[in-house]
Amino acid sequence: MLQAIDLIDDFASEIESTLDVAAPNPHLNMALHLVRNHLEGRVSTASSVIAASAVPYATARRKLGELQEAGLIESRPRTKSGKSFSLHPSATLLGNWGQLSDRLLRMAKKHVGEAGQDRAEAEYYFGGTYQVGRSIQPPQVLPEPLSLPGGLRILVHGDPTFMVMESLKRQFEQVVGTKISQRAFSIDRLHEEALRNGERPTSRYDIIAVDLPWIGEFVTKGLLTPLDDVLDVEDLDPGDFHTAGWRAAHWAGRPYGVPSQTTPELMFYRKDWFAEAGLEPPHSTDGVLEAARLLHEPQKGRYGIAWNAARGTALGHTFMMTCADFGQPILNLDPVAGGFDADQLDRDDLVPTIDTPRALEAAEYLMALLEFSPPDILSMSWYERIRPYAAGKIAMAYGYTLLAPYFELDEKSPANGNTGYLAHPAGPAGHPIAPVGGYVLCIPANLPESRKREAAKALVAFTSPEAQKLYIQHGSRTAPRYSVGADPDVRQLSPVFEAVDAMSWRDELQFWPRPPVPRINELIAICGQELHDMLRGVTSPRETLARAQARAEQVMQDDRD
């Protein structure tokens, strides 16, 4: 859309300089000004729009009124008195402008073309008319600015998606009509700060990002506001969210957060290396080991596979997900179609199921992976496993989709354009699954009532399809909504969206591998500590699982006591 604005601006300037008698087009000039400012997060006022018209003041006032009467411009009060207001493009103007931009750029290609573009390319591009016309448009401003003294305060995780939100802060300040302050922490520090915030008499934050496994803990401790207390849940269009991501935001049947990221952990693999070796993508754990063995060439600085093996939280997550690959939940969840029931966790009869035959298979699989892993595998966590993959040193890597920008947005990365995406390959008794991770945005329970409903409006705006698409266009690789993953503009940016949508429809996106029970963080830490000793050769797999089981049982018993 900005490309089209630049093209029209430049073309109009050329026409006016060529034809001295050419008259300005005030409607067009004002629309250009409004849409550009909206996209770039700048404020438009009546004075600035009139100045942009390039016609006398009285004429400009009349033309501005015509645009408003046509429903193309909306105004929003900037002060309580309403005497000062800002102007914004309406949904109609944004929709029309999106379609115009596409048609304009396509006509330029059709009539002028690009050097080296053949007829087939031109026809293929032209054939995209229908799809692009159905694209999600940019976010609209709220009719009224949020009434939040001091601005909107948000606590988030320091990952690529939330950093994209930070980079778009100016645009979203325009949308919600108030200043936005965002604090970002690593996963463990975020957990600590969220708990500490819950102990304060009054929350420091209007919105907090909560990792999916923490939902049970935070709700049972009374830290979160049920969404249906502060907004009409139907306004969120729940059916548009990936089912697993939306279900994971619930506790005892009530929603406590809105999916901001639905980022499954997948298997990334180098399609070019597999093709050169004549290998099929692995869909089983045996296939992973065989491919890793064949592609492991440490003497050339190339390794078979990378994964989370760092002690503590990182390895704990890996073990739980690997157990799921072998068909074993880490608690005695009831089996249901497609996996296990993680919707009914508000119960007293849950016990750990870590020391089981299938969990032993999972532990032995991790031991087998060591042989084909980089030498520093035992210190690798989320980012450390992806960086060498992006650098072209790893054939396969388990990784969350939110980390795909490390190679998808780096044109120099050997993995750029050469990466395939798979659900977790399954063990003998398991099925391919894509364990769902990510964050939901929640409203703290100790936020003053006067701020809760305003924070809820921001929550709806930040998780709308329009906002989610904007994050993706600026580098995010998570799409919690079906509509966003299906958007033709989004599909063109990365194959990961089509892959994840297909997994969702096949019911492979699952959140039961890390069930959000109240003590899940401690269970994750226990698994990450005991399994690390196993990988270092300090304990055997059987001894490791027995120790982890005993410690986990004690934690669950302490919780009941």
Side-chain angles (χ1 to χ4, degrees):
M1 292 170 76
L2 285 169
Q3 274 186 312
I5 291 173
D6 290 338
L7 175 60
I8 292 172
D9 267 342
D10 291 346
F11 186 70
S13 295
E14 291 295 329
I15 291 293
E16 288 176 13
S17 62
T18 302
L19 303 173
D20 291 336
V21 295
N25 184 329
H27 288 144
L28 177 62
N29 289 341
M30 289 189 282
L32 288 171
H33 177 80
L34 278 164
V35 176
R36 182 191 289 280
N37 278 4
H38 181 74
L39 295 176
E40 294 181 347
R42 293 200 294 261
V43 176
S44 295
T45 63
S47 298
S48 70
V49 173
I50 288 170
S53 69
V55 296
Y57 182 85
T59 303
R61 289 291 307 182
R62 187 171 68 255
K63 299 297 183 182
L64 176 59
E66 292 171 358
L67 288 173
Q68 291 174 310
E69 288 174 11
L72 300 177
I73 298 179
E74 295 178 352
S75 62
R76 186 172 70 184
R78 299 180 68 189
T79 60
K80 289 184 179 180
S81 68
K83 293 180 179 178
S84 175
F85 56 89
S86 55
L87 298 181
H88 306 271
S90 68
T92 301
L93 178 55
L94 287 174
N96 291 348
W97 193 266
Q99 294 179 32
L100 170 64
S101 300
D102 174 64
R103 290 196 300 270
L104 185 64
L105 297 175
R106 213 170 335 104
M107 284 189 290
K109 283 179 176 275
K110 176 185 176 184
H111 294 291
V112 180
E114 294 180 344
Q117 184 187 42
D118 60 26
R119 181 179 179 84
E121 284 179 328
E123 288 178 350
Y124 174 79
Y125 188 85
F126 186 74
T129 309
Y130 175 75
Q131 277 194 314
V132 177
R134 301 171 67 89
S135 296
I136 297 168
Q137 299 305 318
Q140 258 193 289
V141 298
L142 299 183
E144 299 285 335
L146 296 183
S147 178
L148 289 169
L152 184 69
R153 304 162 305 192
I154 309 175
L155 176 66
V156 299
H157 180 228
D159 62 45
T161 294
F162 284 123
M163 292 305 96
V164 165
M165 291 176 65
E166 173 68 15
S167 71
L168 292 169
K169 185 171 72 169
R170 190 171 66 180
Q171 283 89 328
F172 279 97
E173 286 177 340
Q174 278 280 81
V175 170
V176 299
T178 191
K179 178 184 176 183
I180 298 173
S181 301
Q182 179 170 298
R183 295 187 73 193
F185 291 97
S186 64
I187 185 169
D188 290 331
R189 288 192 61 203
L190 174 63
H191 184 260
E192 293 170 6
E193 174 61 14
L195 291 178
R196 190 179 301 116
N197 183 68
E199 296 171 355
R200 297 176 179 128
T202 302
S203 174
R204 288 184 181 175
Y205 309 100
D206 299 295
I207 295 173
I208 60 173
V210 175
D211 195 12
L212 290 179
W214 305 344
I215 289 290
E217 175 189 7
F218 281 34
V219 173
T220 55
K221 288 182 176 178
L223 305 183
L224 303 179
T225 299
L227 290 185
D228 47 12
D229 279 356
V230 291
L231 56 80
D232 183 349
V233 175
E234 289 305 311
D235 289 345
L236 295 167
D237 191 8
D240 190 32
F241 289 102
H242 284 294
T243 305
W246 177 246
R247 285 169 52 206
H250 287 63
W251 183 260
R254 298 186 76 182
Y256 284 86
V258 188
S260 173
Q261 302 176 22
T262 298
T263 176
E265 184 178 84
L266 308 180
M267 172 68 83
F268 303 159
Y269 71 97
R270 286 291 298 273
K271 294 189 298 183
D272 49 343
W273 291 4
F274 272 73
E276 290 167 8
L279 294 171
E280 292 293 322
H283 295 284
S284 69
T285 51
D286 286 342
V288 171
L289 290 171
E290 178 62 13
R293 182 182 67 82
L294 293 172
L295 297 173
H296 187 64
E297 296 182 278
Q299 68 278 9
K300 296 182 180 179
R302 191 164 97 171
Y303 305 95
I305 190 164
W307 42 292
N308 266 10
R311 187 178 183 86
T313 303
L315 179 55
H317 281 265
T318 288
F319 176 64
M320 289 184 176
M321 293 180 182
T322 306
C323 283
D325 298 341
F326 283 81
Q328 178 65 65
I330 56 102
L331 297 170
N332 59 325
L333 305 181
D334 297 326
V336 294
F340 294 86
D341 183 7
D343 290 319
Q344 310 299 325
L345 298 177
D346 186 19
R347 40 190 270 211
D348 296 326
D349 62 340
L350 291 175
V351 294
T353 51
I354 296 172
D355 191 5
T356 67
R358 291 183 183 178
L360 180 61
E361 289 182 282
E364 290 173 340
Y365 170 68
L366 295 181
M367 290 289 288
L369 289 181
L370 283 178
E371 183 179 352
F372 313 115
S373 302
D376 57 343
I377 187 64
L378 294 183
S379 62
M380 280 190 173
S381 58
W382 288 273
Y383 299 98
E384 287 78 12
R385 61 180 169 173
I386 297 303
R387 290 189 181 110
Y389 178 81
K393 298 178 180 179
I394 308 291
M396 296 176 287
Y398 287 99
Y400 284 110
T401 58
L402 70 84
L403 298 177
Y406 276 97
F407 51 87
E408 284 202 348
L409 301 182
D410 182 1
E411 294 182 358
K412 296 180 181 178
S413 169
N416 182 295
N418 290 316
T419 294
Y421 300 99
L422 300 171
H424 274 215
H431 301 281
I433 60 170
V436 169
Y439 290 83
V440 291
L441 295 181
C442 307
I443 298 174
N446 57 340
L447 185 69
E449 293 298 324
S450 60
R451 299 181 72 95
K452 281 186 179 180
R453 292 199 177 273
E454 295 298 285
K457 295 175 185 176
L459 209 60
V460 174
F462 291 158
T463 58
S464 68
E466 295 82 5
Q468 295 290 348
K469 178 177 176 179
L470 192 61
Y471 304 149
I472 290 167
Q473 289 175 315
H474 286 77
S476 171
R477 288 298 178 266
T478 67
R481 291 179 176 271
Y482 290 111
S483 61
V484 178
D487 183 281
D489 300 329
V490 168
R491 288 289 180 97
Q492 291 174 11
L493 294 175
S494 170
V496 75
F497 299 112
E498 185 173 358
V500 169
D501 269 2
M503 293 174 199
S504 183
W505 291 118
R506 293 194 298 266
D507 206 22
E508 292 173 351
L509 297 192
Q510 298 286 340
F511 72 98
W512 62 262
R514 295 181 305 159
V517 292
R519 303 297 288 272
I520 189 66
N521 255 32
E522 292 169 74
L523 300 185
I524 291 171
I526 288 169
C527 292
Q529 293 159 8
E530 296 295 342
L531 269 288
H532 200 264
D533 287 346
M534 179 194 77
L535 295 176
R536 293 190 298 118
V538 176
T539 56
S540 69
R542 290 183 183 276
E543 181 184 0
T544 295
L545 298 187
R547 288 163 58 99
Q549 177 76 24
R551 290 180 63 188
E553 287 178 358
Q554 186 61 56
V555 164
M556 298 292 283
Q557 185 58 46
D558 291 346
D559 190 49
R560 295 188 183 96
D561 294 343

